[in-house]
Amino acid sequence: MTALLGMASVSYAITARPSVAAQRVLMVLNGYARVTDGDTLVIDERRVRLFGIDAPELKHPYGAEAKAAMEALCQGQMIQAQALSVDRYDRLVARCVLPDGRDLAAELVKRDLALDWPKYSGGAYARYENAGVRDKLHRTHMRQRPR
């Protein structure tokens, strides 16, 4: 089932997510994104949190750079958000893909502007982390530690 809403289309489906077999896609949003920070965007008035990564908060070192990189990646692009769940802030948690097939989360990790969050990703983005990035993004890394 697909519905068109302004510049975004919404598809509802239950299909297996190839990279994480246990995850099911709840819905698919297609649309232009407004970026709010390095790991959150808005598509068709729905807040979307990138699955499996953690980017620095805007007020932390590299937070503005992460947001700018996300804006550059998304600018003028139709983003596909494959929603896997809803978080405690009522954001869709989604794997977000550019029209050329690149995963936004992987792109941010490759650029040293986000970290894989194994608790949620199962290590899906760890292979993209460069040496030393956890020291560089120390505050983000510390948020991931158990308390």
Side-chain angles (χ1 to χ4, degrees), residues 109-121:
V109 173
K110 288 176 189 176
R111 294 167 190 216
D112 291 345
L113 294 171
L115 300 173
D116 175 58
W117 200 334
K119 175 180 176 181
Y120 299 106
S121 73

Side-chain angles (χ1 to χ4, degrees), residues 48-95:
V48 178
R49 171 72 158 81
L50 294 184
F51 166 78
I53 66 162
D54 194 18
E57 299 299 321
L58 285 173
K59 64 184 180 232
H60 292 161
Y62 303 101
E65 290 89 340
K67 179 182 180 184
M70 177 85 98
E71 288 172 332
L73 285 163
C74 292
Q75 185 175 16
Q77 302 291 323
M78 181 69 71
I79 306 299
Q80 181 181 81
Q82 302 162 359
L84 305 170
S85 64
V86 178
D87 72 8
R88 65 183 178 199
Y89 303 109
D90 200 35
R91 297 177 297 190
L92 294 175
V93 177
R95 179 175 178 266

Side-chain angles (χ1 to χ4, degrees), residues 54-57 60-61 113-115 117 134 137-145:
D54 194 18
E57 299 299 321
H60 292 161
L113 294 171
L115 300 173
W117 200 334
R134 289 197 172 258
L137 302 179
H138 176 73
R139 286 186 176 193
T140 303
H141 175 60
M142 295 308 293
R143 269 200 318 261
Q144 294 182 9
R145 293 181 171 260

